[in-house]
Amino acid sequence: MLAERCIDAVSRDECSARPRDRSIAELAGAQHGVVGRGQLLELGFSASAIARRVQRGHLHPIFRGVYAVGHPGLGVLGRWRAATLAGGRDSVLSHRSAAAFWDLRAHSGRHELTVGGARRGQLGLRLYRDRLVADELVKRDEI
């Protein structure tokens, strides 16, 4: 199988990053270094393309279906964003995680989320189910 290569049309030099990989980097840059599998699929990546990027060390699994881009080291905002991506579109930081996010207490390392719908829990996440009301939610730092 031939390796994928990108050649700049003007300079004829090899591109530093393929446009599709650049789209991953741009998305991760807006989300504290993380992306979700659903987002990658929306960008046009296949399951096998995602698996190849994991195998090559370009994507690093954080939670089921959530990846750090480029390297596995994430700050606390990246971990919180990864948790909300893992929780799904209808998830928010809550309980002790929300208190730490708003600097009301120290971060315990555990990620607690409230989800509006049925979600399957996973290692590293504590899920609470409740009805989420839009006027009771606040977004800060894309979290």
Side-chain angles (χ1 to χ4, degrees):
M1 174 157 76
L2 295 175
E4 297 176 66
R5 286 189 54 202
C6 173
I7 304 296
D8 185 274
V10 176
S11 68
R12 299 285 185 219
D13 292 330
E14 191 162 339
C15 300
S16 59
R18 293 183 299 252
R20 286 172 25 104
D21 287 326
R22 195 171 300 123
S23 67
I24 296 174
E26 289 171 2
L27 179 59
Q31 298 185 144
H32 306 287
V34 297
V35 295
R37 179 180 178 81
Q39 294 174 318
L40 294 172
L41 294 171
E42 287 175 11
L43 287 173
F45 290 90
S46 66
S48 62
I50 295 168
R52 275 194 307 276
R53 282 164 176 80
V54 170
Q55 184 180 33
R56 292 178 184 158
H58 301 292
L59 296 175
H60 303 270
I62 303 298
F63 295 111
R64 184 184 320 122
V66 180
Y67 309 94
V69 177
H71 57 82
L74 291 175
V76 69
L77 291 177
R79 300 285 302 175
W80 281 329
R81 183 64 179 118
T84 59
L85 283 170
R89 293 186 192 273
D90 62 344
S91 70
V92 296
L93 287 177
S94 64
H95 297 74
R96 288 175 287 270
S97 291
F101 179 71
W102 290 100
D103 296 321
L104 300 174
R105 64 168 286 151
H107 178 54
S108 67
R110 181 179 196 142
H111 302 290
E112 295 178 289
L113 304 172
T114 295
V115 297
R119 288 290 294 174
R120 187 171 52 157
Q122 61 175 295
L123 187 62
L125 297 179
R126 170 101 191 233
L127 300 183
Y128 301 91
R129 287 169 183 71
D130 201 351
R131 189 173 63 100
L132 298 175
V133 181
D135 66 349
E136 295 177 357
L137 304 176
V138 178
K139 188 175 196 175
R140 186 182 96 195
D141 295 324
E142 294 305 312
I143 300 172

